[in-house]
């Protein structure tokens, strides 16, 4: 552990961003996140930039109408979900489910320590 956690978090985020953009082409990561949120009828606020632009692009493609999935959007969500599943499998290769859960739990608690 020659570098602190902040280095590895930022490095992993950058790698995830680039690799996911490539895996999802021509869809972007933000578009996928908006599409997936709409598919699950989630109302949580997305804590990153680019959401409004992603909504505009998805609406222009006919995948969203008034923030909800269209028939074409549901079909696209299904196809992209398969890409995301393959990508996630690649990311966690060699990491046990227990290690993954422990990592998420530690990061959640560290976040809670700083989230006043």
């Amino acid at each position: 552990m020659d570098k602190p956690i902040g280095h590895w978090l930022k490095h992993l985020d950058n790698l995830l961003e680039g690799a996911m953009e490539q895996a999802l082409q021509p869809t972007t990561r933000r578009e996928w996140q908006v599409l997936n949120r709409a598919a699950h009828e989630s109302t949580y606020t997305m804590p990153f930039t680019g959401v409004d632009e992603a909504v505009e692009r998805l609406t222009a493609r006919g995948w969203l109408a008034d923030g909800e999935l269209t028939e074409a959007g549901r079909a696209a969500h299904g196809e992209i979900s398969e890409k995301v599943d393959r990508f996630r499998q690649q990311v966690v290769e060699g990491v046990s489910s227990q290690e993954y859960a422990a990592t998420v739990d530690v990061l959640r608690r560290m976040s809670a320590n700083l989230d006043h």
Side-chain angles (χ1 to χ4, degrees), residues 9 27 29 32 42-43 48 69 80 87 91 100 103 110-111:
L9 287 171
T27 307
R29 184 179 183 189
W32 161 249
S42 175
T43 58
F48 36 74
L69 287 180
I80 298 167
F87 177 77
V91 171
Y100 181 86
T103 300
M110 290 174 76
S111 295

Side-chain angles (χ1 to χ4, degrees), residues 6-116:
H7 166 82
W8 292 113
L9 287 171
K10 188 64 176 169
H11 183 66
L12 179 58
D13 185 56
N14 288 336
L15 290 172
L16 287 170
E17 191 76 31
M20 192 168 205
E21 290 290 332
Q22 188 174 20
L24 297 180
Q25 284 182 355
T27 307
T28 68
R29 184 179 183 189
R30 293 295 175 258
E31 290 168 351
W32 161 249
Q33 290 164 323
V34 170
L35 196 65
N36 195 47
R37 181 181 71 172
H40 293 101
E41 299 177 5
S42 175
T43 58
Y44 83 93
T45 303
M46 292 199 226
F48 36 74
T49 62
V51 173
D52 292 338
E53 295 85 354
V55 168
E56 289 174 15
R57 290 189 302 270
L58 293 171
T59 300
R61 280 190 199 139
W63 293 358
L64 285 180
D66 297 321
E68 296 192 12
L69 287 180
T70 63
E71 284 296 320
R74 279 188 281 286
H77 180 265
E79 292 172 17
I80 298 167
S81 290
E82 293 176 14
K83 291 180 179 182
V84 170
D85 288 344
R86 286 191 301 271
F87 177 77
R88 288 177 178 162
Q89 289 172 2
Q90 177 188 0
V91 171
V92 298
E93 187 176 326
V95 177
S96 73
S97 57
Q98 295 85 359
E99 289 172 317
Y100 181 86
T103 300
V104 170
D105 182 56
V106 167
L107 293 173
R108 180 195 55 76
R109 287 183 283 142
M110 290 174 76
S111 295
N113 291 341
L114 296 173
D115 193 18
H116 309 103

